[in-house]
Amino acid sequence: MAASPKLPAFDPADPLGVDDLLEPEDLAVRDTVRDWAADRVLPHIADWYEKGELPGIRELARELGSIGALGMSLDGYGCAGASAVQYGLACLELEAADSGIRSLVSVQGSLAMYAIHRFGSEEQKQTWLPRMAAGEVIGCFGLTEPDHGSDPANMRTRAKRDGGGDWVLDGRKMWITNGSVAGVAVVWAQTEEGIRGFVVPTDSPGFSAPEIKHKWSLRASVTSELVLDDVRLPADAVLPEATGLRGPLSCLTHARYGIVWGSMGAARSSFEAAVEYAKSREQFGRPIGGFQLTQAKLADMAVELHKGILLAHHLGRRMDAGRLRPEQVSFGKLNNVREAIDICRTARTILGANGISLEYPVMRHATNLESVLTYEGTVEMHQLVLGKALTGLDAFR
Ligand SMILES: Cc1cc2nc3c(=O)[nH]c(=O)nc-3n(C[C@H](O)[C@H](O)[C@H](O)COP(=O)(O)OP(=O)(O)OC[C@H]3O[C@@H](n4cnc5c(N)ncnc54)[C@H](O)[C@@H]3O)c2cc1C
């Protein structure tokens, strides 16, 4: 009988051998981002979270720019031109540190920069993208309003042309990541031609961005209101290639794709904390990881974590091949964020009382994921997207 080939050892960090799908340059991107987060975020994040702030955000943005993490999968204009899989790996590593850091990068790259890159004029691209890629200018993306979240089609923010062709914007946006630290805002507004996007320098008279405080989730992230009070912009401030909701929705698809990966980072961090704790914490004279009930939890967490990572890889490969549909991104976001939050909550139970402490990452990740569950399309919106795709029936209204 032929000798069976030698099997690779079981790797608890990669039980399905998913890393075999990665090229050396993918691993290099992952290591760079992981090392950056270990050095610049992990030592401080509990403190930032407790204080509800992200101090040094401008410096962090410049550092993220220097490692190529901003607008990472975009081409030209100082962007890294990385693959979708590499961008996903970066999101996972950033969110393993904290969802707030991943949100900074997602909003910068997948929302603000992506909107300008995909729908902007050459002049808009030249003006903003190189500085945004370098982290010298932070961007935000204003779609949600106080009274219109899941149904942005009914937004109230208006842009009207004055007699000379300039635009005048009036309205309010709500829950805008990076808002009060942004140098440029991509703002979506109703016009006579339907919804259009505008590139708004945040020093424009009439623009202000008060920060939203008292958040109990994404505490190490800047979230703001945008107030547009007769903000006057030149005729060429409009994104020429975006008309209707298709514009903002395609940006959201790109950002949601990053969340499919990122959420697994938060889950991985919580899972690892639970495994370490289970091996060292003793009750009834033995490590709690030796009890069958704890092992069942860990096994179930590992199954969902690595299924989710595999799903993220699959979608990443489809995106790189130009074959990723928005419904597939909805599938990924729905599953991975829901499972990530479940993994964090189960990890919390394994850590017992310590699970509620900021000494460990699990409660921080779990509360962060409450926002991730809602932003970029709520769970229910993604269920409705899939429901419509499965039945052909639109149940949104
Ligand atoms: C920390 C944070 C950061 C954010 N950053 C940004 C940002 O940078 N830019 C931006 O534009 N927005 C941002 N958002 C806003 C986010 O995208 C919205 O909160 C989200 O789209 C949901 O809108 P809403 O909160 O108004 O909830 P609603 O739309 O009011 O929904 C409330 C509930 O009703 C459900 N619901 C609504 N309609 C239906 C329906 N037809 N059928 C079934 N259920 C329904 C929803 O699923 C949800 O459960 C952020 C939010 C948070 C929390």
Side-chain angles (χ1 to χ4, degrees):
M1 208 170 92
S4 52
K6 190 166 162 32
L7 288 173
F10 181 82
D11 179 2
D14 181 23
L16 293 177
V18 178
D19 279 2
D20 292 353
L21 300 172
L22 298 176
E23 302 294 334
E25 50 274 28
D26 303 333
L27 295 169
V29 167
R30 183 172 78 180
D31 290 348
T32 300
V33 178
R34 187 183 289 188
D35 291 348
W36 179 85
D39 181 40
R40 293 292 286 120
V41 180
L42 290 180
H44 314 288
I45 187 64
D47 199 34
W48 296 343
Y49 204 83
E50 188 153 48
K51 291 184 178 140
E53 59 186 30
L54 190 49
I57 183 171
R58 293 178 198 286
E59 184 55 30
L60 291 171
R62 274 191 288 271
E63 290 176 23
L64 286 161
S66 74
I67 60 168
L70 303 179
M72 190 170 179
S73 58
L74 303 177
D75 286 318
Y77 307 97
C79 303
S83 69
V85 167
Q86 290 167 357
Y87 172 53
L89 290 164
C91 288
L92 189 151
E93 294 304 329
L94 292 170
E95 194 145 357
D98 193 76
S99 305
I101 303 294
R102 201 268 308 138
S103 296
L104 164 65
V105 168
S106 287
V107 170
Q108 177 84 349
S110 284
L111 293 179
M113 291 176 72
Y114 182 86
I116 296 171
H117 194 275
R118 170 125 186 232
F119 300 117
S121 65
E122 189 53 37
E123 193 187 340
Q124 288 167 337
K125 294 180 197 181
Q126 298 282 0
T127 303
W128 294 107
L129 292 178
R131 286 186 290 152
M132 294 174 85
E136 288 162 13
V137 173
I138 296 177
C140 69
F141 182 90
L143 181 66
T144 304
E145 301 189 346
D147 296 328
H148 296 281
S150 301
D151 69 337
N154 288 315
M155 67 175 65
R156 289 204 192 133
T157 299
R158 291 269 180 283
K160 290 187 184 147
R161 286 186 195 272
D162 73 358
D166 282 0
W167 291 96
V168 182
L169 267 67
D170 275 292
R172 272 174 72 199
K173 298 289 175 180
M174 195 69 183
W175 298 111
I176 307 305
T177 303
N178 299 346
S180 29
V181 291
V184 63
V186 172
V187 174
W188 300 92
Q190 299 278 8
T191 72
E192 284 182 354
E193 310 141 24
I195 291 172
R196 304 295 308 262
F198 295 85
V199 182
V200 185
T202 56
D203 58 3
S204 304
F207 180 98
S208 58
E211 191 170 345
I212 298 173
K213 290 291 189 186
H214 308 299
K215 287 180 299 171
W216 219 228
S217 170
L218 279 186
R219 289 175 58 73
S221 172
V222 173
T223 316
S224 315
E225 215 179 313
L226 304 185
V227 180
L228 298 128
D229 191 5
D230 276 340
V231 175
R232 187 167 284 275
L233 300 171
D236 61 4
V238 70
L239 291 170
E241 304 299 331
T243 308
L245 260 192
R246 185 184 65 86
L249 292 186
S250 67
C251 303
L252 289 171
T253 297
H254 202 261
R256 286 166 184 157
Y257 163 75
I259 292 174
V260 175
W261 287 87
S263 52
M264 287 296 109
R268 186 190 73 192
S269 167
S270 297
F271 173 71
E272 287 173 352
V275 171
E276 280 313 304
Y277 195 85
K279 289 200 290 194
S280 61
R281 171 76 175 174
E282 291 192 5
Q283 290 293 289
F284 299 94
R286 47 197 273 228
I288 59 168
F291 297 123
Q292 290 182 357
L293 289 177
T294 309
Q295 290 197 1
K297 288 181 189 176
L298 292 174
D300 287 349
M301 290 157 82
V303 166
E304 290 309 329
L305 170 63
H306 294 285
K307 268 161 60 180
I309 290 174
L310 199 54
L311 171 58
H313 272 277
H314 173 68
L315 297 186
R317 285 164 170 246
R318 290 190 73 82
M319 186 175 254
D320 277 326
R323 292 174 54 78
L324 184 63
R325 291 200 52 85
E327 297 87 343
Q328 294 167 333
V329 176
S330 286
F331 187 123
K333 186 190 182 244
L334 178 60
N335 182 75
N336 282 13
V337 181
R338 222 165 36 182
E339 294 303 334
I341 216 166
D342 226 40
I343 288 168
C344 294
R345 287 172 181 159
T346 307
R348 216 288 302 147
T349 69
I350 291 176
L351 269 72
N354 280 320
I356 71 156
S357 167
L358 272 173
E359 295 291 317
Y360 296 88
V362 296
M363 191 78 169
R364 176 169 54 80
H365 286 310
T367 54
N368 278 339
L369 287 167
E370 293 292 342
S371 287
V372 182
L373 206 60
T374 284
Y375 73 20
E376 313 275 350
T378 64
V379 170
E380 295 78 12
M381 287 304 115
H382 293 296
Q383 287 173 319
L384 292 178
V385 168
L386 282 178
K388 182 178 170 191
L390 293 169
T391 63
L393 303 169
D394 182 344
F396 285 88
R397 54 181 75 82

PDB file of all heavy atoms in Angstrom, residues 204-220:
ATOM      1  N   SER A 204     -15.960  75.252   3.914  1.00  0.00           N
ATOM      2  CA  SER A 204     -16.932  76.071   3.176  1.00  0.00           C
ATOM      3  C   SER A 204     -17.829  76.805   4.171  1.00  0.00           C
ATOM      4  O   SER A 204     -18.326  76.194   5.132  1.00  0.00           O
ATOM      5  CB  SER A 204     -17.833  75.198   2.289  1.00  0.00           C
ATOM      6  OG  SER A 204     -17.061  74.411   1.417  1.00  0.00           O
ATOM      7  N   PRO A 205     -18.076  78.120   3.970  1.00  0.00           N
ATOM      8  CA  PRO A 205     -18.996  78.828   4.867  1.00  0.00           C
ATOM      9  C   PRO A 205     -20.361  78.138   4.897  1.00  0.00           C
ATOM     10  O   PRO A 205     -20.882  77.728   3.855  1.00  0.00           O
ATOM     11  CB  PRO A 205     -19.081  80.228   4.229  1.00  0.00           C
ATOM     12  CG  PRO A 205     -17.801  80.372   3.447  1.00  0.00           C
ATOM     13  CD  PRO A 205     -17.463  78.989   2.946  1.00  0.00           C
ATOM     14  N   GLY A 206     -20.934  78.000   6.105  1.00  0.00           N
ATOM     15  CA  GLY A 206     -22.242  77.357   6.256  1.00  0.00           C
ATOM     16  C   GLY A 206     -22.149  75.883   6.582  1.00  0.00           C
ATOM     17  O   GLY A 206     -23.148  75.236   6.903  1.00  0.00           O
ATOM     18  N   PHE A 207     -20.926  75.311   6.510  1.00  0.00           N
ATOM     19  CA  PHE A 207     -20.754  73.885   6.829  1.00  0.00           C
ATOM     20  C   PHE A 207     -20.249  73.753   8.259  1.00  0.00           C
ATOM     21  O   PHE A 207     -19.299  74.422   8.646  1.00  0.00           O
ATOM     22  CB  PHE A 207     -19.733  73.246   5.882  1.00  0.00           C
ATOM     23  CG  PHE A 207     -19.500  71.770   6.140  1.00  0.00           C
ATOM     24  CD1 PHE A 207     -20.153  70.809   5.380  1.00  0.00           C
ATOM     25  CD2 PHE A 207     -18.637  71.344   7.141  1.00  0.00           C
ATOM     26  CE1 PHE A 207     -19.948  69.451   5.624  1.00  0.00           C
ATOM     27  CE2 PHE A 207     -18.425  69.994   7.401  1.00  0.00           C
ATOM     28  CZ  PHE A 207     -19.074  69.046   6.635  1.00  0.00           C
ATOM     29  N   SER A 208     -20.872  72.901   9.050  1.00  0.00           N
ATOM     30  CA  SER A 208     -20.317  72.586  10.372  1.00  0.00           C
ATOM     31  C   SER A 208     -20.590  71.114  10.674  1.00  0.00           C
ATOM     32  O   SER A 208     -21.464  70.485  10.058  1.00  0.00           O
ATOM     33  CB  SER A 208     -20.921  73.486  11.457  1.00  0.00           C
ATOM     34  OG  SER A 208     -22.316  73.334  11.487  1.00  0.00           O
ATOM     35  N   ALA A 209     -19.794  70.571  11.610  1.00  0.00           N
ATOM     36  CA  ALA A 209     -19.889  69.135  11.892  1.00  0.00           C
ATOM     37  C   ALA A 209     -19.733  68.878  13.394  1.00  0.00           C
ATOM     38  O   ALA A 209     -18.688  68.417  13.850  1.00  0.00           O
ATOM     39  CB  ALA A 209     -18.822  68.388  11.100  1.00  0.00           C
ATOM     40  N   PRO A 210     -20.789  69.165  14.163  1.00  0.00           N
ATOM     41  CA  PRO A 210     -20.701  68.896  15.602  1.00  0.00           C
ATOM     42  C   PRO A 210     -20.580  67.401  15.888  1.00  0.00           C
ATOM     43  O   PRO A 210     -21.289  66.594  15.265  1.00  0.00           O
ATOM     44  CB  PRO A 210     -22.018  69.456  16.156  1.00  0.00           C
ATOM     45  CG  PRO A 210     -22.866  69.801  14.983  1.00  0.00           C
ATOM     46  CD  PRO A 210     -22.055  69.752  13.740  1.00  0.00           C
ATOM     47  N   GLU A 211     -19.687  67.076  16.805  1.00  0.00           N
ATOM     48  CA  GLU A 211     -19.464  65.656  17.112  1.00  0.00           C
ATOM     49  C   GLU A 211     -20.620  65.089  17.951  1.00  0.00           C
ATOM     50  O   GLU A 211     -21.155  65.781  18.821  1.00  0.00           O
ATOM     51  CB  GLU A 211     -18.123  65.494  17.854  1.00  0.00           C
ATOM     52  CG  GLU A 211     -17.715  64.036  17.958  1.00  0.00           C
ATOM     53  CD  GLU A 211     -16.284  63.828  18.471  1.00  0.00           C
ATOM     54  OE1 GLU A 211     -15.502  64.799  18.488  1.00  0.00           O
ATOM     55  OE2 GLU A 211     -15.982  62.680  18.846  1.00  0.00           O
ATOM     56  N   ILE A 212     -20.970  63.842  17.681  1.00  0.00           N
ATOM     57  CA  ILE A 212     -22.011  63.164  18.464  1.00  0.00           C
ATOM     58  C   ILE A 212     -21.332  62.465  19.642  1.00  0.00           C
ATOM     59  O   ILE A 212     -20.433  61.644  19.438  1.00  0.00           O
ATOM     60  CB  ILE A 212     -22.777  62.146  17.590  1.00  0.00           C
ATOM     61  CG1 ILE A 212     -23.490  62.871  16.441  1.00  0.00           C
ATOM     62  CG2 ILE A 212     -23.753  61.325  18.431  1.00  0.00           C
ATOM     63  CD1 ILE A 212     -24.136  61.941  15.420  1.00  0.00           C
ATOM     64  N   LYS A 213     -21.758  62.814  20.832  1.00  0.00           N
ATOM     65  CA  LYS A 213     -21.168  62.221  22.037  1.00  0.00           C
ATOM     66  C   LYS A 213     -22.132  61.183  22.632  1.00  0.00           C
ATOM     67  O   LYS A 213     -23.188  60.929  22.084  1.00  0.00           O
ATOM     68  CB  LYS A 213     -20.875  63.331  23.064  1.00  0.00           C
ATOM     69  CG  LYS A 213     -19.728  64.230  22.627  1.00  0.00           C
ATOM     70  CD  LYS A 213     -18.426  63.453  22.684  1.00  0.00           C
ATOM     71  CE  LYS A 213     -17.189  64.300  22.467  1.00  0.00           C
ATOM     72  NZ  LYS A 213     -15.975  63.455  22.393  1.00  0.00           N
ATOM     73  N   HIS A 214     -21.760  60.643  23.775  1.00  0.00           N
ATOM     74  CA  HIS A 214     -22.587  59.685  24.529  1.00  0.00           C
ATOM     75  C   HIS A 214     -22.891  58.425  23.734  1.00  0.00           C
ATOM     76  O   HIS A 214     -23.961  57.833  23.880  1.00  0.00           O
ATOM     77  CB  HIS A 214     -23.914  60.341  24.983  1.00  0.00           C
ATOM     78  CG  HIS A 214     -23.702  61.629  25.716  1.00  0.00           C
ATOM     79  ND1 HIS A 214     -22.997  61.709  26.883  1.00  0.00           N
ATOM     80  CD2 HIS A 214     -24.084  62.893  25.421  1.00  0.00           C
ATOM     81  CE1 HIS A 214     -22.951  62.957  27.289  1.00  0.00           C
ATOM     82  NE2 HIS A 214     -23.593  63.708  26.412  1.00  0.00           N
ATOM     83  N   LYS A 215     -21.959  58.015  22.866  1.00  0.00           N
ATOM     84  CA  LYS A 215     -22.148  56.744  22.151  1.00  0.00           C
ATOM     85  C   LYS A 215     -21.691  55.618  23.070  1.00  0.00           C
ATOM     86  O   LYS A 215     -20.726  55.774  23.805  1.00  0.00           O
ATOM     87  CB  LYS A 215     -21.264  56.695  20.901  1.00  0.00           C
ATOM     88  CG  LYS A 215     -21.669  57.560  19.756  1.00  0.00           C
ATOM     89  CD  LYS A 215     -20.671  57.381  18.608  1.00  0.00           C
ATOM     90  CE  LYS A 215     -19.286  57.773  19.021  1.00  0.00           C
ATOM     91  NZ  LYS A 215     -18.236  57.436  18.052  1.00  0.00           N
ATOM     92  N   TRP A 216     -22.345  54.495  22.960  1.00  0.00           N
ATOM     93  CA  TRP A 216     -21.937  53.339  23.759  1.00  0.00           C
ATOM     94  C   TRP A 216     -21.344  52.255  22.865  1.00  0.00           C
ATOM     95  O   TRP A 216     -21.238  51.107  23.241  1.00  0.00           O
ATOM     96  CB  TRP A 216     -23.135  52.835  24.572  1.00  0.00           C
ATOM     97  CG  TRP A 216     -22.755  52.412  25.953  1.00  0.00           C
ATOM     98  CD1 TRP A 216     -23.134  51.235  26.563  1.00  0.00           C
ATOM     99  CD2 TRP A 216     -21.940  53.111  26.896  1.00  0.00           C
ATOM    100  NE1 TRP A 216     -22.581  51.190  27.818  1.00  0.00           N
ATOM    101  CE2 TRP A 216     -21.842  52.315  28.044  1.00  0.00           C
ATOM    102  CE3 TRP A 216     -21.252  54.336  26.868  1.00  0.00           C
ATOM    103  CZ2 TRP A 216     -21.099  52.692  29.173  1.00  0.00           C
ATOM    104  CZ3 TRP A 216     -20.517  54.714  27.985  1.00  0.00           C
ATOM    105  CH2 TRP A 216     -20.452  53.891  29.108  1.00  0.00           C
ATOM    106  N   SER A 217     -20.984  52.640  21.666  1.00  0.00           N
ATOM    107  CA  SER A 217     -20.435  51.704  20.674  1.00  0.00           C
ATOM    108  C   SER A 217     -19.542  52.534  19.768  1.00  0.00           C
ATOM    109  O   SER A 217     -19.743  53.748  19.645  1.00  0.00           O
ATOM    110  CB  SER A 217     -21.600  51.107  19.880  1.00  0.00           C
ATOM    111  OG  SER A 217     -21.162  50.378  18.756  1.00  0.00           O
ATOM    112  N   LEU A 218     -18.541  51.914  19.158  1.00  0.00           N
ATOM    113  CA  LEU A 218     -17.576  52.661  18.335  1.00  0.00           C
ATOM    114  C   LEU A 218     -17.113  53.919  19.065  1.00  0.00           C
ATOM    115  O   LEU A 218     -17.140  55.026  18.515  1.00  0.00           O
ATOM    116  CB  LEU A 218     -18.184  53.025  16.971  1.00  0.00           C
ATOM    117  CG  LEU A 218     -18.167  51.928  15.911  1.00  0.00           C
ATOM    118  CD1 LEU A 218     -18.651  52.438  14.578  1.00  0.00           C
ATOM    119  CD2 LEU A 218     -16.794  51.310  15.751  1.00  0.00           C
ATOM    120  N   ARG A 219     -16.695  53.719  20.290  1.00  0.00           N
ATOM    121  CA  ARG A 219     -16.304  54.875  21.106  1.00  0.00           C
ATOM    122  C   ARG A 219     -14.962  55.456  20.659  1.00  0.00           C
ATOM    123  O   ARG A 219     -14.705  56.636  20.863  1.00  0.00           O
ATOM    124  CB  ARG A 219     -16.261  54.474  22.591  1.00  0.00           C
ATOM    125  CG  ARG A 219     -17.660  54.245  23.154  1.00  0.00           C
ATOM    126  CD  ARG A 219     -17.638  53.735  24.577  1.00  0.00           C
ATOM    127  NE  ARG A 219     -16.965  54.595  25.523  1.00  0.00           N
ATOM    128  CZ  ARG A 219     -17.426  55.757  25.991  1.00  0.00           C
ATOM    129  NH1 ARG A 219     -18.606  56.186  25.577  1.00  0.00           N
ATOM    130  NH2 ARG A 219     -16.737  56.464  26.865  1.00  0.00           N
ATOM    131  N   ALA A 220     -14.113  54.617  20.057  1.00  0.00           N
ATOM    132  CA  ALA A 220     -12.834  55.135  19.544  1.00  0.00           C
ATOM    133  C   ALA A 220     -12.988  55.443  18.054  1.00  0.00           C
ATOM    134  O   ALA A 220     -12.241  54.954  17.206  1.00  0.00           O
ATOM    135  CB  ALA A 220     -11.718  54.130  19.788  1.00  0.00           C
TER     136      ALA A 220
END
